[in-house]
């Protein structure tokens, strides 16, 4: 452990301008490398595409010692809870614009570390625009507008890229489109089945949309004739159910399953090189619509929510803490990177001309949605982890952590910490428990 005089002093400056120093142990820095991996039939190995650098994070064990250590640690935790970005004065890497992310873990070691309190957290570097234009509030209108622009772009892109000059090309398009649409409707029916009674309108609308699409699919000559209506309908099929009130992780899971089915279907080219344009037109329509709709749906649901935690967290789009939002953002970013890799790989075949406009519209939806989710995250509680310094009764501990609301939090607390029957009676000293503040 380094003392303050051994190396450069470490400190955190909160968004409100308050500064607090701390002692630290070994320091580290983590940098995400953005990559996408692609495998191909009848070829060993994988193509790894480099997509640049992601964010940098700085996990730190912040130590406070002396007779006022608990008070100093409490004060430091308050600084970490402030909304906005702060400045980390790192002992090795200097001054960095950061936002505390993930979990805050508090340890008061009363046996081996008398007069010492520890707070573990991760500071993630953030981009700061001096004009604050980057951090303009992502309103619901901005999200709706981004999706409207994508819908128009995706429809035009599909119409421009399909090849329907011959009966053979129309049959190729029919086969590819039907396979992808079947995957989407199958997944959407599962998603909509989880919706509340107030949202049953989606189920009715989905049946009508499926009836229309199936009618077009059954006559391959109609696909060219109604290409505009078909594409627009499929974008809406992906978009409209995305805001239903289910847990965020469940929503990501359902959309991810559909995206995987679409991507797997795109790996095969049953009609050879002549069908690449139709294959890409259909696949790009479905993949882009799924990714844009998932991002949009998570953001809209989170924006519509009040600050609700625990069992009622579905009202906040299933997000119970800031770390949940960050996990969702990471998953959306990963899915988008895979989509980006697919678009690049198809463009390299030089079979069609792609202006990139549709890709930009998907990216725009993802970026605005990410802003909205980040803003919603600040209204959600921070997850804290503490190590019990003595045996504790459940209700006594809940009263200390949550005050008068402790009784209402017992089921949430038991589930979050997976307490056993014995632990519900008496939680032992040294047990690590988590709660939200």
């Amino acid at each position: 452990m380094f003392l303050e005089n051994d190396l450069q002093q470490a400190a955190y400056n909160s968004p409100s301008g308050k500064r607090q120093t701390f002692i630290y142990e070994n320091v580290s820095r983590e940098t995400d490398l953005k990559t996408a991996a692609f495998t191909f039939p009848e070829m060993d190995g994988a193509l790894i595409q480099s997509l640049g650098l992601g964010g940098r994070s700085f996990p730190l064990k912040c130590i406070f010692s002396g007779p006022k250590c608990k008070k100093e640690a409490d004060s430091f935790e308050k600084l970490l809870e402030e909304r906005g970005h702060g400045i980390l004065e790192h002992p090795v890497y200097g001054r960095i614009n950061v936002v505390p992310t993930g979990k805050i873990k508090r340890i008061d070691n009363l046996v081996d570390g008398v007069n010492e309190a520890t707070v573990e957290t991760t500071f993630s570097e953030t981009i700061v625009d001096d004009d604050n234009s980057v951090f303009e509030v992502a309103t619901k209108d901005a999200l709706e507008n981004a999706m409207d622009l994508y819908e128009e772009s995706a429809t035009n892109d599909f119409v421009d890229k399909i090849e329907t000059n011959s009966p053979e090309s129309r049959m190729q398009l029919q086969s590819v489109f039907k396979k992808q649409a079947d995957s989407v409707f199958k997944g959407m029916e599962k998603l909509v089945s989880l919706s509340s009674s107030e949202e049953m309108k989606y189920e009715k609308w989905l049946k009508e949309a499926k009836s229309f699409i199936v009618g077009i699919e059954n006559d391959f000559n109609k696909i060219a004739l109604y290409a505009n209506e078909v594409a627009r309908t499929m974008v809406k099929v992906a978009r409209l159910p995305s805001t239903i009130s289910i847990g965020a992780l469940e929503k990501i899971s359902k959309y991810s399953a559909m995206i995987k089915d679409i991507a797997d279907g795109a790996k095969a080219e049953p009609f050879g090189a002549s069908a690449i344009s139709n294959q890409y037109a259909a696949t790009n329509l479905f993949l882009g619509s799924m990714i844009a709709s998932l991002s949009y749906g998570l953001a809209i649901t989170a924006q519509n929510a009040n600050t609700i935690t625990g069992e009622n967290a579905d009202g906040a789009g299933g997000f119970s803490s800031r770390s949940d939002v960050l996990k969702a953002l990471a998953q959306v970013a990963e899915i988008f990177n895979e989509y980006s890799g697919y678009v690049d790989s198809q463009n390299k075949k030089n079979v069609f001309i792609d202006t990139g406009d549709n890709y930009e519209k998907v990216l725009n939806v993802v970026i605005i949605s990410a802003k909205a989710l980040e803003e919603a995250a600040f209204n959600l509680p921070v997850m804290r982890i503490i190590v019990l310094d003595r045996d504790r009764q459940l209700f006594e501990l809940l009263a200390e952590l949550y005050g008068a609301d402790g009784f209402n939090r017992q089921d949430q607390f038991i589930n979050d910490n997976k307490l056993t029957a014995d632990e519900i009676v008496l939680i032992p000293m040294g047990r690590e428990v988590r709660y939200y503040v």
Side-chain angles (χ1 to χ4, degrees):
M1 180 177 70
F2 293 107
L3 297 178
E4 290 184 275
N5 294 327
D6 291 333
L7 285 177
Q8 179 180 327
Q9 190 179 65
Y12 176 62
N13 300 267
S14 73
S16 65
K18 297 176 183 177
R19 182 178 184 271
Q20 187 166 351
T21 60
F22 54 86
I23 305 171
Y24 53 90
E25 288 190 334
N26 294 332
V27 298
S28 63
R29 177 175 67 187
E30 299 175 0
T31 304
D32 291 330
L33 296 177
K34 297 188 293 184
T35 60
F38 304 92
T39 57
F40 306 92
E42 302 180 2
M43 181 182 294
D44 294 335
L47 170 65
I48 308 298
Q49 183 181 32
S50 176
L51 302 174
L53 297 178
R56 297 192 304 170
S57 59
F58 305 85
L60 278 171
K61 186 175 184 180
C62 308
I63 303 168
F64 304 90
S65 62
K68 297 182 179 180
C69 65
K70 285 191 175 183
K71 185 177 180 180
E72 291 177 358
D74 290 340
S75 175
F76 188 70
E77 286 183 279
K78 291 295 182 183
L79 299 188
L80 297 178
E81 294 168 15
E82 289 185 15
R83 176 173 178 165
H85 78 272
I87 298 175
L88 173 66
E89 297 177 24
H90 197 281
V92 177
Y93 306 113
R95 292 171 64 87
I96 308 159
N97 292 308
V98 296
V99 172
T101 57
K103 303 171 184 175
I104 299 173
K105 182 175 180 179
R106 169 73 175 269
I107 301 175
D108 292 291
N109 191 342
L110 303 182
V111 178
D112 300 325
V114 180
N115 287 338
E116 183 175 286
T118 301
V119 178
E120 295 181 10
T121 190
T122 297
F123 295 96
S124 296
E125 186 174 19
T126 183
I127 299 172
V128 177
D129 183 18
D130 292 336
D131 297 329
N132 293 320
S133 57
V134 172
F135 299 99
E136 182 180 346
V137 176
T139 63
K140 187 174 181 180
D141 286 344
L143 285 164
E144 295 287 356
N145 183 58
M147 276 302 296
D148 289 343
L149 291 174
Y150 167 72
E151 182 177 318
E152 194 65 31
S153 174
T155 300
N156 293 335
D157 190 68
F158 178 77
V159 173
D160 290 343
K161 284 191 171 57
I162 58 174
E163 295 287 345
T164 59
N165 294 328
S166 66
E168 180 185 21
S169 63
R170 291 194 290 273
M171 288 181 65
Q172 293 170 352
L173 177 60
Q174 178 194 40
S175 175
V176 171
F177 190 91
K178 185 178 186 304
K179 184 176 183 180
Q180 305 288 31
D182 286 348
S183 295
V184 171
F185 280 116
K186 182 180 177 181
M188 281 297 169
E189 286 166 355
K190 292 180 180 178
L191 179 68
V192 170
S193 69
L194 302 174
S195 62
S196 64
S197 57
E198 293 81 9
E199 297 167 325
M200 293 305 290
K201 60 183 179 182
Y202 292 134
E203 186 171 7
K204 181 182 178 182
W205 186 89
L206 190 64
K207 288 179 180 179
E208 293 174 353
K210 183 176 182 180
S211 177
F212 168 70
I213 294 296
V214 170
I216 298 294
E217 289 174 344
N218 288 337
D219 184 348
F220 65 82
N221 289 311
K222 286 184 178 180
I223 290 190
L225 186 62
Y226 296 104
N228 190 293
E229 292 83 354
V230 165
R232 197 174 297 278
T233 298
M234 293 312 303
V235 175
K236 291 186 184 298
V237 166
R239 174 181 179 175
L240 295 182
S242 66
T243 58
I244 65 174
S245 301
I246 64 172
L249 297 181
E250 183 70 17
K251 191 175 292 184
I252 292 173
S253 174
K254 291 292 184 288
Y255 270 89
S256 295
M258 287 184 279
I259 289 170
K260 183 178 184 304
D261 284 345
I262 295 167
D264 288 344
K267 291 178 182 178
E269 295 178 1
F271 301 104
S274 64
I276 290 178
S277 185
N278 282 335
Q279 176 92 324
Y280 178 76
T283 303
N284 191 40
L285 172 70
F286 288 112
L287 280 181
S289 297
M290 290 291 113
I291 295 165
S293 297
L294 172 59
S295 306
Y296 160 83
L298 291 172
I300 287 290
T301 309
Q303 278 195 337
N304 288 341
N306 296 319
T307 305
I308 301 174
T309 61
E311 294 177 324
N312 298 319
D314 283 348
F319 298 117
S320 58
S321 70
R322 295 180 191 178
S323 59
D324 285 348
V325 178
L326 295 173
K327 289 177 184 176
L329 282 170
Q331 288 180 277
V332 170
E334 182 179 349
I335 292 170
F336 178 80
N337 285 339
E338 291 175 359
Y339 166 70
S340 177
Y342 169 75
V343 171
D344 287 345
S345 68
Q346 297 303 302
N347 285 330
K348 289 177 182 177
K349 296 179 180 180
N350 294 320
V351 177
F352 47 81
I353 298 174
D354 192 347
T355 63
D357 181 69
N358 189 60
Y359 173 86
E360 289 180 6
K361 294 300 188 295
V362 177
L363 177 60
N364 188 46
V365 174
V366 173
I367 290 174
I368 294 177
S369 299
K371 285 184 186 178
L373 285 169
E374 288 170 355
E375 289 156 8
F378 285 118
N379 293 321
L380 290 170
V382 178
M383 178 190 291
R384 281 192 178 181
I385 298 177
I386 59 173
V387 179
L388 300 182
D389 56 5
R390 63 183 187 279
D391 294 345
R392 302 295 297 270
Q393 291 184 338
L394 176 61
F395 293 110
E396 172 207 356
L397 180 59
L398 288 174
E400 178 181 319
L401 298 178
Y402 293 114
D405 193 41
F407 181 79
N408 298 323
R409 302 292 191 103
Q410 59 176 319
D411 291 337
Q412 171 201 346
F413 187 84
I414 291 170
N415 292 331
D416 286 344
N417 291 284
K418 297 180 175 57
L419 298 184
T420 65
D422 289 340
E423 288 175 330
I424 292 174
V425 177
L426 188 68
I427 308 175
M429 180 179 68
R431 175 69 149 86
E432 185 177 275
V433 296
R434 61 188 62 194
Y435 67 102
Y436 300 103
V437 293

